[in-house]
Amino acid sequence: QALFKKLVNLGSIPKIRDYKDLKECVRILNKYDNIDKRLYRDYIRMADLLGYDVTDNEVRFNKRWVKLHDIYSTQISYEEQKEKETEYSKVASKFSDFSYGKTLVVVPKTIKDLFKEASTLHHCVNSYVDKIIKGESMIVFVREKSDTPLITAEIINGKVSQMRGKHNLTDMIKPYHRKAMTLYVKEVC
Protein backbone atom coordinates (compact mmCIF):
# COMPACT_ATOMS: atom_id res chain seq x y z
CA GLN A 1 0.00 0.00 0.00
CA ALA A 2 2.92 2.38 0.63
CA LEU A 3 4.09 1.88 -2.97
CA PHE A 4 0.57 2.60 -4.19
CA LYS A 5 0.38 5.87 -2.26
CA LYS A 6 3.85 6.93 -3.39
CA LEU A 7 3.14 6.31 -7.08
CA VAL A 8 -0.27 7.97 -6.93
CA ASN A 9 1.19 11.02 -5.14
CA LEU A 10 3.92 11.27 -7.77
CA GLY A 11 1.35 10.94 -10.55
CA SER A 12 3.45 8.13 -11.99
CA ILE A 13 0.57 6.15 -13.40
CA PRO A 14 -2.58 8.14 -14.16
CA LYS A 15 -6.16 7.20 -13.41
CA ILE A 16 -5.53 4.29 -11.05
CA ARG A 17 -8.68 3.68 -9.08
CA ASP A 18 -7.56 1.14 -6.49
CA TYR A 19 -4.78 -1.09 -5.28
CA LYS A 20 -5.75 -3.86 -7.70
CA ASP A 21 -5.23 -1.48 -10.65
CA LEU A 22 -1.81 -0.52 -9.33
CA LYS A 23 -0.76 -4.13 -8.84
CA GLU A 24 -1.70 -4.90 -12.45
CA CYS A 25 0.23 -1.88 -13.75
CA VAL A 26 3.29 -2.85 -11.71
CA ARG A 27 3.03 -6.48 -12.91
CA ILE A 28 3.06 -5.32 -16.52
CA LEU A 29 5.86 -2.81 -15.97
CA ASN A 30 8.00 -5.41 -14.21
CA LYS A 31 7.85 -7.57 -17.33
CA TYR A 32 9.70 -4.72 -19.04
CA ASP A 33 12.21 -3.94 -16.30
CA ASN A 34 14.83 -2.97 -18.88
CA ILE A 35 12.51 -0.26 -20.20
CA ASP A 36 12.19 2.95 -18.23
CA LYS A 37 8.82 3.28 -16.52
CA ARG A 38 8.68 6.87 -17.82
CA LEU A 39 8.01 5.36 -21.25
CA TYR A 40 4.84 3.81 -19.87
CA ARG A 41 3.79 7.15 -18.41
CA ASP A 42 4.48 8.79 -21.79
CA TYR A 43 2.49 6.05 -23.54
CA ILE A 44 -0.53 6.75 -21.29
CA ARG A 45 -0.14 10.54 -21.68
CA MET A 46 0.05 10.30 -25.47
CA ALA A 47 -2.89 7.88 -25.62
CA ASP A 48 -4.90 10.41 -23.60
CA LEU A 49 -3.73 13.28 -25.84
CA LEU A 50 -4.85 11.32 -28.90
CA GLY A 51 -8.30 10.75 -27.38
CA TYR A 52 -8.03 7.15 -26.22
CA ASP A 53 -9.88 6.19 -23.03
CA VAL A 54 -6.96 5.61 -20.66
CA THR A 55 -9.28 4.12 -18.06
CA ASP A 56 -10.03 1.26 -20.48
CA ASN A 57 -8.02 -1.85 -19.64
CA GLU A 58 -7.40 -2.47 -23.35
CA VAL A 59 -5.42 0.78 -23.39
CA ARG A 60 -3.81 0.66 -19.94
CA PHE A 61 -2.72 -2.97 -20.00
CA ASN A 62 -2.03 -3.41 -23.71
CA LYS A 63 0.84 -5.88 -24.15
CA ARG A 64 2.01 -3.89 -27.18
CA TRP A 65 2.30 -0.62 -25.25
CA VAL A 66 5.99 -0.13 -26.13
CA LYS A 67 5.24 -0.36 -29.86
CA LEU A 68 2.14 1.81 -29.42
CA HIS A 69 4.28 4.40 -27.62
CA ASP A 70 6.31 4.80 -30.82
CA ILE A 71 3.24 4.82 -33.05
CA TYR A 72 1.46 7.43 -30.93
CA SER A 73 4.55 9.60 -30.95
CA THR A 74 4.43 9.80 -34.75
CA GLN A 75 0.68 10.48 -34.72
CA ILE A 76 1.08 13.68 -32.74
CA SER A 77 1.50 16.02 -35.64
CA TYR A 78 3.26 19.33 -35.94
CA GLU A 79 0.19 20.79 -37.66
CA GLU A 80 -1.86 20.19 -34.49
CA GLN A 81 0.81 21.73 -32.26
CA LYS A 82 2.06 24.72 -34.28
CA GLU A 83 -0.84 26.94 -33.17
CA LYS A 84 0.79 26.91 -29.72
CA GLU A 85 4.06 28.40 -31.01
CA THR A 86 3.58 31.82 -29.36
CA GLU A 87 2.91 30.28 -25.94
CA TYR A 88 5.83 27.91 -26.37
CA SER A 89 8.22 30.70 -27.40
CA LYS A 90 7.36 32.71 -24.27
CA VAL A 91 8.39 29.79 -22.07
CA ALA A 92 11.50 28.90 -24.11
CA SER A 93 12.73 32.51 -24.04
CA LYS A 94 13.10 32.29 -20.25
CA PHE A 95 15.96 29.84 -20.72
CA SER A 96 19.32 30.28 -22.41
CA ASP A 97 21.87 28.06 -24.07
CA PHE A 98 24.89 26.94 -22.08
CA SER A 99 28.38 25.61 -22.76
CA TYR A 100 30.59 23.42 -20.60
CA GLY A 101 33.80 22.06 -22.07
CA LYS A 102 32.90 20.40 -25.35
CA THR A 103 29.23 20.07 -24.36
CA LEU A 104 26.50 22.46 -25.46
CA VAL A 105 23.08 22.65 -23.84
CA VAL A 106 20.67 24.13 -26.37
CA VAL A 107 17.15 25.36 -25.69
CA PRO A 108 14.78 24.43 -28.52
CA LYS A 109 13.47 27.78 -29.75
CA THR A 110 10.43 26.46 -31.60
CA ILE A 111 8.01 23.56 -31.51
CA LYS A 112 9.41 22.53 -34.87
CA ASP A 113 12.80 22.05 -33.15
CA LEU A 114 11.15 19.51 -30.83
CA PHE A 115 9.64 17.65 -33.78
CA LYS A 116 12.99 17.59 -35.60
CA GLU A 117 14.69 16.18 -32.48
CA ALA A 118 11.98 13.54 -32.06
CA SER A 119 12.25 12.52 -35.70
CA THR A 120 16.04 12.35 -35.66
CA LEU A 121 16.44 10.53 -32.34
CA HIS A 122 13.27 8.43 -32.67
CA HIS A 123 11.69 9.34 -29.37
CA CYS A 124 8.59 11.22 -28.19
CA VAL A 125 9.88 14.65 -27.15
CA ASN A 126 7.42 16.16 -29.65
CA SER A 127 4.62 15.14 -27.30
CA TYR A 128 5.94 17.42 -24.51
CA VAL A 129 4.68 20.72 -25.94
CA ASP A 130 1.75 21.04 -23.53
CA LYS A 131 3.89 20.08 -20.52
CA ILE A 132 6.37 22.80 -21.47
CA ILE A 133 3.70 25.45 -21.99
CA LYS A 134 2.10 24.59 -18.63
CA GLY A 135 5.50 24.95 -16.93
CA GLU A 136 5.51 21.29 -15.87
CA SER A 137 8.82 20.60 -17.59
CA MET A 138 11.46 22.05 -19.88
CA ILE A 139 13.31 20.26 -22.65
CA VAL A 140 16.88 20.97 -23.72
CA PHE A 141 19.18 19.38 -26.27
CA VAL A 142 22.67 18.22 -25.32
CA ARG A 143 25.22 18.46 -28.12
CA GLU A 144 28.94 18.01 -28.54
CA LYS A 145 29.97 21.33 -30.13
CA SER A 146 27.86 20.70 -33.21
CA ASP A 147 24.24 20.85 -34.22
CA THR A 148 23.98 17.06 -34.48
CA PRO A 149 21.26 15.67 -32.19
CA LEU A 150 22.76 13.47 -29.48
CA ILE A 151 20.81 13.67 -26.20
CA THR A 152 17.53 15.20 -25.14
CA ALA A 153 17.06 16.14 -21.48
CA GLU A 154 13.97 16.98 -19.45
CA ILE A 155 14.07 19.35 -16.49
CA ILE A 156 11.32 19.27 -13.87
CA ASN A 157 11.29 21.53 -10.81
CA GLY A 158 14.90 22.60 -11.34
CA LYS A 159 16.23 19.03 -11.59
CA VAL A 160 17.24 16.83 -14.49
CA SER A 161 14.41 14.34 -14.72
CA GLN A 162 15.67 12.28 -17.63
CA MET A 163 18.26 12.22 -20.40
CA ARG A 164 17.72 10.12 -23.52
CA GLY A 165 19.52 9.51 -26.77
CA LYS A 166 18.48 7.75 -29.94
CA HIS A 167 15.56 5.32 -29.38
CA ASN A 168 15.40 6.41 -25.71
CA LEU A 169 18.75 4.76 -24.99
CA THR A 170 21.18 6.13 -22.43
CA ASP A 171 24.48 4.45 -23.35
CA MET A 172 25.78 7.54 -25.19
CA ILE A 173 25.43 9.73 -22.09
CA LYS A 174 28.87 10.41 -20.68
CA PRO A 175 29.78 11.79 -17.23
CA TYR A 176 30.68 15.15 -18.79
CA HIS A 177 27.17 15.38 -20.30
CA ARG A 178 25.67 14.82 -16.84
CA LYS A 179 28.06 17.40 -15.38
CA ALA A 180 27.05 19.94 -18.04
CA MET A 181 23.38 19.36 -17.22
CA THR A 182 24.01 19.66 -13.48
CA LEU A 183 25.77 23.00 -14.03
CA TYR A 184 23.08 24.14 -16.48
CA VAL A 185 20.32 23.52 -13.96
CA LYS A 186 22.33 25.21 -11.21
CA GLU A 187 23.28 28.30 -13.24
CA VAL A 188 20.41 28.80 -15.70
CA CYS A 189 17.24 27.33 -14.21
Side-chain angles (χ1 to χ4, degrees):
Q1 291 234 339
L3 174 63
F4 173 73
K5 287 179 182 176
K6 184 177 179 182
L7 288 173
V8 169
N9 288 340
L10 292 173
S12 294
I13 303 174
K15 300 188 181 181
I16 293 176
R17 294 171 295 199
D18 58 29
Y19 186 69
K20 182 181 169 193
D21 284 353
L22 175 67
K23 281 178 61 176
E24 181 63 9
C25 286
V26 169
R27 184 188 67 76
I28 288 171
L29 291 174
N30 284 337
K31 286 173 61 177
Y32 299 97
D33 62 351
N34 62 331
I35 296 177
D36 194 310
K37 290 169 180 56
R38 285 186 183 104
L39 287 179
Y40 180 79
R41 243 188 357 233
D42 284 344
Y43 157 71
I44 292 294
R45 185 176 47 79
M46 288 186 293
D48 191 39
L49 186 66
L50 290 168
Y52 291 96
D53 179 3
V54 296
T55 64
D56 181 353
N57 286 345
E58 288 293 318
V59 174
R60 291 189 311 157
F61 305 130
N62 193 308
K63 291 177 182 172
R64 295 180 50 238
W65 72 268
V66 175
K67 180 72 174 161
L68 290 171
H69 168 277
D70 297 339
I71 292 168
Y72 292 171
S73 177
T74 62
Q75 288 178 347
I76 297 171
S77 79
Y78 173 69
E79 293 303 315
E80 294 169 359
Q81 298 291 328
K82 73 178 182 180
E83 67 197 34
K84 301 172 186 172
E85 194 68 67
T86 303
E87 293 173 89
Y88 175 85
S89 294
K90 285 180 189 174
V91 175
S93 69
K94 296 177 185 175
F95 298 86
S96 59
D97 295 348
F98 180 79
S99 178
Y100 171 75
K102 64 180 181 178
T103 305
L104 296 174
V105 178
V106 179
V107 177
K109 309 296 186 258
T110 67
I111 292 172
K112 196 166 200 156
D113 293 340
L114 293 172
F115 276 79
K116 181 180 175 190
E117 184 89 348
S119 175
T120 304
L121 295 182
H122 305 282
H123 57 42
C124 68
V125 74
N126 58 314
S127 71
Y128 282 60
V129 172
D130 290 330
K131 285 181 74 172
I132 294 167
I133 290 171
K134 291 176 187 173
E136 295 171 2
S137 78
M138 185 58 200
I139 298 293
V140 294
F141 305 152
V142 180
R143 307 285 190 252
E144 287 189 354
K145 295 288 183 187
S146 76
D147 198 29
T148 305
L150 178 66
I151 300 165
T152 308
E154 180 183 23
I155 301 166
I156 297 177
N157 296 326
K159 295 182 179 168
V160 178
S161 169
Q162 60 178 321
M163 294 174 70
R164 298 285 182 261
K166 196 167 195 168
H167 298 288
N168 285 305
L169 298 175
T170 58
D171 58 335
M172 73 289 305
I173 301 170
K174 307 293 183 220
Y176 57 87
H177 296 131
R178 293 187 191 286
K179 177 73 171 175
M181 282 304 301
T182 299
L183 292 171
Y184 178 80
V185 167
K186 190 175 186 178
E187 295 181 25
V188 178
C189 295

